Amino acid sequence: LHDKAGLSAGNLEAITRFIQKGGNFAVATGRVYGSALPYIRSIPFNIPSIYANGAYMVDPKDQSTICPHYLPEAADGYLAQIVRDFPHPIGGYCMDEDLVYVHEDHPKLDLLRNTGLFRFVYQPADQFPKKKYKNMFNVDPAYMEELKAFVDQGSYPGVQFVASEPHLLEMLPEGTSKANAIDELCRYLGLEAANVYAVGDYYNDIPMLERAANSVAVDNAPAEVQAHAGLVVPSRAEDGVARLIE
């Protein structure tokens, strides 16, 4: 669900027909529900979707939260430490459904500011809400690999890190992933894992592709992502999901 590219008309039509014929369709995204909503509100979901890279699900029938996984209390201290000690400028913040809490600002946060969907609150990390699904770091893409190596060398019990965009590194509760969330969703609904198809386009989708019985990547995904898929379909712009469904 990219900032400038919602669902294509062909994909939306195919997904809608699939659901009308009794299929189950869900989105698994790194976004929180409030951030994803503008891109998915037109989909007639019939099962819960996965948000924050697997940290929780939302039931479309009543918008209730399912299987939430929260960061440990120490996570805000980790964020402040990483922002302070990393040798290049990085932004540090967290989100809930309509608020962005900013410890350290960064130009990449303009991507959120410009949507007009969120209210920004500027305060130290130790004043962030205590219950949250993830903390986030904005960085110039040129420094992403260095930032990943930096956090890998540190000690941050109870959390893990995943890059969900070239400029965005996320701190998640330990054990959280789209793969584990699909397992939780199957148990919650009594679905057969063998019948699940997972479609991915970025590195944070790799665990999901490795876990799914039927793994699919789009052809504009990085080569490493495509290597973890059993099938490659055209990109979003070329109605790849529609091709898969049909």
Side-chain angles (χ1 to χ4, degrees):
L1 301 178
H2 299 290
D3 294 295
K4 296 181 180 179
L7 286 173
S8 69
N11 281 338
L12 180 57
E13 290 171 5
I15 291 166
T16 301
R17 289 196 303 271
F18 175 71
I19 294 171
Q20 289 172 345
K21 292 181 178 180
N24 295 312
F25 183 85
V27 167
T29 177
R31 293 175 179 267
V32 297
Y33 177 68
S35 176
L37 195 57
Y39 303 90
I40 64 173
R41 65 170 73 250
S42 58
I43 300 173
F45 289 112
N46 55 347
I47 62 171
S49 281
I50 297 165
Y51 300 95
N53 277 313
Y56 69 111
M57 294 181 280
V58 174
D59 192 322
K61 296 174 183 176
D62 57 8
Q63 284 69 58
S64 60
T65 299
I66 301 167
C67 300
H69 303 273
Y70 298 108
L71 286 169
E73 289 187 10
D76 297 331
Y78 301 158
L79 180 144
Q81 177 186 343
I82 292 166
V83 168
R84 182 191 68 219
D85 294 344
F86 187 64
H88 305 289
I90 56 174
Y93 66 104
C94 76
M95 295 175 65
D96 63 15
E97 304 307 346
D98 57 4
L99 289 171
V100 179
Y101 299 89
V102 181
H103 171 82
E104 184 73 23
D105 208 348
H106 189 277
K108 287 292 184 182
L109 273 169
D110 288 343
L111 294 172
L112 289 177
R113 269 188 286 261
N114 293 340
T115 66
L117 297 172
F118 303 95
R119 183 163 63 89
F120 278 67
V121 178
Y122 299 87
Q123 60 188 33
D126 61 9
Q127 297 177 25
F128 281 1
K130 296 309 177 187
K131 275 192 172 184
K132 55 190 170 299
Y133 302 111
K134 62 179 181 177
N135 284 335
M136 288 168 281
F137 303 93
N138 282 149
V139 66
D140 188 305
Y143 301 127
M144 175 57 80
E145 292 304 315
E146 187 176 347
L147 178 58
K148 287 161 64 176
F150 181 85
V151 299
D152 284 347
Q153 294 167 5
S155 177
Y156 308 104
V159 306
Q160 63 189 44
F161 297 88
V162 61
S164 57
E165 295 282 354
H167 66 276
L168 184 61
L169 187 71
E170 302 188 2
M171 177 195 298
L172 296 166
E174 190 172 23
T176 296
S177 69
K178 294 181 182 180
N180 289 341
I182 287 177
D183 289 344
E184 290 178 329
L185 182 60
C186 287
R187 288 193 295 270
Y188 181 78
L189 297 175
L191 300 176
E192 291 290 337
N195 295 329
V196 173
Y197 283 75
V199 183
D201 68 349
Y202 203 64
Y203 298 106
N204 59 324
D205 294 319
I206 289 176
M208 176 179 70
L209 296 178
E210 291 178 331
R211 184 75 55 83
N214 306 281
S215 57
V216 184
V218 290
D219 63 10
N220 61 338
E224 184 180 351
V225 178
Q226 294 188 41
H228 286 83
L231 176 67
V232 176
V233 298
S235 69
R236 176 210 65 84
E238 298 176 295
D239 300 336
V241 172
R243 303 277 190 91
L244 175 65
I245 289 172
E246 295 169 353

